[in-house]
Every structure is written in structure tokens, then in C-alpha cells.
Amino acid sequence: MPGISVVLPAWNAEATLGEAIASILAQTEPDFELIVLDDGSTDATAAIAAAAAARDPRVRPVWLPHGGIVAALNHGLALARGAYVARMDADDLSAPGRLAAQRQALDADPALGLVACLVAHEGLAGDTRGYAHHVAWLNGLVAPAAIQLNRFVESPFAHPSVMFRRTLVERLGGYRDGPFPEDYELWLRWLDAGVAMAKVPEVLLVWRDRPDRLSRTHTRYDVEAFYRVKACYLARWLRSRGHEQIVVWGAGKSSRQRAASLVAEGIAIRAFIDIDPKRGGSHSRGTPIRYYEDLGPPGDEFVVSYVGRRGAGDFIRGVLVARGWVEGEHFLLAA
């Protein structure tokens, strides 16, 4: 049996699949199988996978009727024979030492359930939709504590960069299909169950931002879809710590709309916080709006920030930490 199963779904990926497969076959870690799942492609994807299998018996091509990314991923998980499962996408490139480094990290620490890596962002000139900024942020999250603390800001991993223990799938389930990003939901569910996750502090994947990438084209990856799926797990996290009522930092329309998902999950909002002193003392549909300088000492109330503007999180964290508030204990960033 192989030690690692690499799960690579592909749909109409003839332009990039060959390079992606070659980057896996060039790994310094030889103990793997590469499961290439052709999701009903209408181009040369199937032929490319078959040719790779003819050259290297570690390649296992699988032909499926077109059912979408979640069905293909779960089919791959069901076929996986390795103790470890690594993800790969048809348009990305793995560095030669990727599988070896991630396997070594999991072998060395039985408490870790998932290990990812840092990624290099290969974007489109003048059109990155914030991917470069997102990559810089997620590359700064390496240790399990940082990943745990920041999981409600955004997805802390590039999906094709992860390797995890197959027993997690058996114990906690695989990917779920719905109007949400399937990878982010999986990380949130596993983190909620106490799974420790970390990153190898090396750039071991080239994450390509192509115009036809699913995260650009499918509604399940819209910004608001991320907020909807995180609300369920954030509400669970808050309730588990006795925070049935919270204060939301962010009194603007977007912040209030996103916070409404928490209300739908049974979390009450006592007040909104704004940085404009003129709004202090006003109300939004009956909920008080307070000026941020009027916040009390740490421990009086729990603050969740829903301000998504770039740089806002650093400002809010700086203000609260300077006042003695502890992130994760007295406040949390959710945008």
C-alpha cells in the first residue's frame, strides 16, 4: 500500500494537467499513488491522465460522469489507500520536496491532523482580486495556535497545499456539498472537532490564479458564502465559551449584514462599534451604536469584528491589545 494518496480532480484541464502531474511524479518522496479523477471532461484531460498512467504505475486514472468538484473529491477519498491524503489541483505545481516535507511533519507529531505549506501566488497581471494579499496573509499562519485563532477571518489554507491523515475522513467525514466553499467548511468542521493543523514553513506549491478557476467563477466561493458558512461554526465557538451575547465591531451595512448570520444562529448582538464618534449614541434598528473609545475594560463583553476593509483587522487588534484585551479570550476577528 502507498503511504500517501494524492487526490487530483480535473475537469477540462488539458492546458495544465500534464504539468501538474509531472510535478507530483518528480517528488523526492516516492511512496505515493496519484489518483487523477477526470470529472467528465470533454477535452483531452482523459487522454493525458491515461498517458501518464502508462508511463508510471503510481498514476491511477479514474473516469467519472461530470458531477462537480465535491463529488470528485469524495470519490477520490473513497479510493485513497494511503495513511496520508494530499490534495492537488490540475492547474497548480508542487515543488519536488513537498510530499516528503509534509509527511515528515505528520510523522514527527502524532498530534497534528493536517499539515499544509506556504504557497507562491501566480496571478494575472492587473487582475488578482486580492489573491496576492490573501496569500501573504495565509502564509503568515504557520503554527496551530495561529491557525486556530484566525480561522474565522478567512480560509487559512490553499486547498491544494494540504496533506491530512485519512483517519480524519473516517472519523469526521469528508467534503460536504452546498452553497459554500467545500474546503473552508471542511477545515472549520475539523478545527471545531479539535484537529490540530499546521504548515511546513516553506513555499512548496505554486497556486495559480487563472480566470477559469472555480474560486473565481462559482457562486459557492462568493464572499458572502464564506461568511454564511463561518457563522455556523463561529456561533458554536461562541456558545461553547459562554458568549451568547456579543458586541460587533462594525456598524456599516456590510458588517451588519454579515453579523445577521450570527443572529440567525442564535447569537444576540448587544451593540455595534463604530470609529466615527458622531455615530456613538445612535441606533441601528434598535441596536445601540457605540464609539470605540467608549469600550470598557477586557472581560466586560466579548467583541467580534466584522470589518472586512483591508488593514482594519490590524487596527482593531492593535486598539484592543493596547487596552489589555486578549485575542481569543476577549475578542475575535471574523473578517
Side-chain angles (χ1 to χ4, degrees):
M1 290 294 182
I4 302 167
S5 295
V6 182
V7 175
L8 193 167
W11 181 67
N12 287 350
E14 64 179 7
T16 59
L17 180 60
E19 288 182 294
I21 291 175
S23 76
I24 295 298
L25 296 181
Q27 293 294 301
T28 59
E29 166 61 70
D31 184 22
F32 67 83
E33 63 177 353
L34 173 58
I35 304 171
V36 181
L37 301 125
D38 175 25
D39 185 27
S41 297
T42 57
D43 64 359
T45 293
I48 293 169
R55 294 190 301 269
D56 194 314
R58 294 175 298 180
V59 180
R60 295 176 61 192
V62 180
W63 292 276
L64 303 170
H66 184 56
I69 182 69
V70 174
L73 285 170
N74 283 329
H75 197 91
L77 292 180
L79 293 174
R81 297 176 294 176
Y84 300 143
V85 175
R87 273 284 289 110
M88 182 64 183
D89 277 345
D91 51 0
D92 297 323
L93 301 173
S94 286
R98 177 196 162 189
L99 296 185
Q102 291 178 303
R103 181 176 192 170
Q104 182 179 13
L106 287 167
D107 284 345
D109 189 351
L112 286 177
L114 179 151
V115 171
C117 63
L118 308 189
V119 301
H121 171 247
E122 186 178 290
L124 305 171
D127 182 24
T128 60
R129 284 197 186 179
Y131 270 81
H133 175 75
H134 174 59
V135 166
W137 172 79
L138 66 83
N139 278 348
L141 305 176
V142 175
I147 291 167
Q148 282 272 359
L149 197 60
N150 288 275
R151 69 187 186 270
F152 297 118
V153 175
E154 242 277 29
S155 177
F157 303 110
H159 193 181
S161 75
V162 304
M163 179 186 289
F164 50 82
R165 300 183 192 275
R166 184 163 54 88
T167 53
L168 291 178
V169 178
E170 298 166 359
R171 181 164 61 92
L172 301 171
Y175 296 93
R176 292 176 178 172
D177 204 356
F180 47 75
E182 76 288 337
D183 55 333
Y184 191 29
E185 192 280 333
L186 188 68
W187 317 146
L188 290 172
R189 180 164 23 105
W190 287 2
L191 285 163
D192 183 66
V195 177
M197 304 181 182
K199 291 191 180 93
V200 175
E202 301 175 53
V203 175
L204 299 173
L205 182 89
V206 177
W207 199 26
R208 288 171 163 172
D209 179 18
R210 295 167 53 83
D212 56 350
R213 195 179 190 102
L214 272 178
S215 53
R216 278 180 168 270
T217 60
H218 201 288
T219 55
R220 74 164 74 232
Y221 307 104
D222 287 349
V223 171
E224 298 310 316
F226 278 82
Y227 282 100
R228 286 193 300 270
V229 72
K230 81 172 70 172
C232 169
Y233 293 98
L234 176 53
R236 285 170 58 91
W237 187 94
L238 290 167
R239 281 194 296 269
S240 72
R241 287 155 178 80
H243 304 307
E244 301 281 351
Q245 297 186 1
I246 63 168
V247 172
V248 170
W249 191 311
K253 182 179 179 180
S254 294
S255 295
R256 287 185 281 108
Q257 287 177 339
R258 291 162 182 171
S261 296
L262 274 184
V263 175
E265 296 289 342
I267 302 298
I269 298 175
R270 296 174 57 183
F272 293 105
I273 301 296
D274 201 285
I275 61 171
D276 183 356
K278 295 180 181 178
R279 298 197 70 187
S282 61
H283 290 75
S284 174
R285 296 186 178 182
T287 302
I289 297 177
R290 291 156 50 188
Y291 181 44
Y292 82 100
E293 292 282 10
D294 296 330
L295 276 170
D300 278 6
E301 50 202 355
F302 193 89
V303 170
V304 174
S305 169
Y306 266 111
V307 183
R309 188 174 60 254
R310 189 169 298 177
D314 291 335
F315 170 78
I316 293 166
R317 179 186 287 116
V319 167
L320 295 176
V321 169
R323 297 180 178 203
W325 292 55
V326 177
E327 192 170 3
E329 183 178 344
H330 304 125
F331 75 97
L332 204 62
L333 302 185

